Amino acid sequence: MQTPLLQELDEQYMIQKFELLIKQAYQKGVEDGQTKFTYPPVLTKDHLAEILQIKKPTVDKLIKDFSFPRLQTIQARYPRDAVFAWIENNTAVLDKYLA
């Protein structure tokens, strides 16, 4: 059983941790907004080269991977949000092309 003082310290500690978590989530959101959403909803090969910091021949190899997101109706165009999600979820595939 905690004393009132220990209980109050626990509550203050939890409040501080919660405030830190909120601040970190906010900063992550700002960073995402500054990187992901500065690009248009539909990306080109030039965008991909810039985002991944690779040369166009490497982009050409990467987009041939069956798992890489692409628009079916427009040739050589890639959905921004799906591309960023793919990058986050496919680091092993990405490393294969960047090696």
Side-chain angles (χ1 to χ4, degrees), residues 38-71:
T38 57
Y39 292 100
V42 176
L43 303 175
T44 64
K45 289 181 184 180
D46 289 334
H47 292 125
L48 296 177
E50 183 179 321
I51 290 165
L52 296 168
Q53 299 180 354
I54 58 177
K55 299 201 182 290
K56 284 189 188 175
T58 307
V59 170
D60 290 334
K61 291 176 189 175
L62 177 64
I63 60 175
K64 289 179 183 175
D65 190 285
F66 75 93
S67 68
F68 195 82
R70 63 187 48 80
L71 293 177

Side-chain angles (χ1 to χ4, degrees), residues 71-88:
L71 293 177
Q72 299 300 321
T73 55
I74 305 172
Q75 188 174 7
R77 296 295 183 265
Y78 312 91
R80 176 195 62 209
D81 296 342
V83 167
F84 279 102
W86 185 90
I87 291 169
E88 288 180 25

Side-chain angles (χ1 to χ4, degrees), residues 10-54:
D10 266 355
E11 288 173 10
Q12 289 176 357
Y13 176 76
M14 292 304 291
I15 289 170
Q16 288 175 342
K17 291 301 253 180
F18 187 66
E19 288 172 346
L20 179 62
L21 181 64
I22 290 172
K23 184 177 181 179
Q24 290 171 337
Y26 173 79
Q27 289 172 338
K28 176 71 171 132
V30 169
E31 290 171 10
D32 285 350
Q34 290 173 339
T35 55
K36 291 181 186 178
F37 302 113
T38 57
Y39 292 100
V42 176
L43 303 175
T44 64
K45 289 181 184 180
D46 289 334
H47 292 125
L48 296 177
E50 183 179 321
I51 290 165
L52 296 168
Q53 299 180 354
I54 58 177

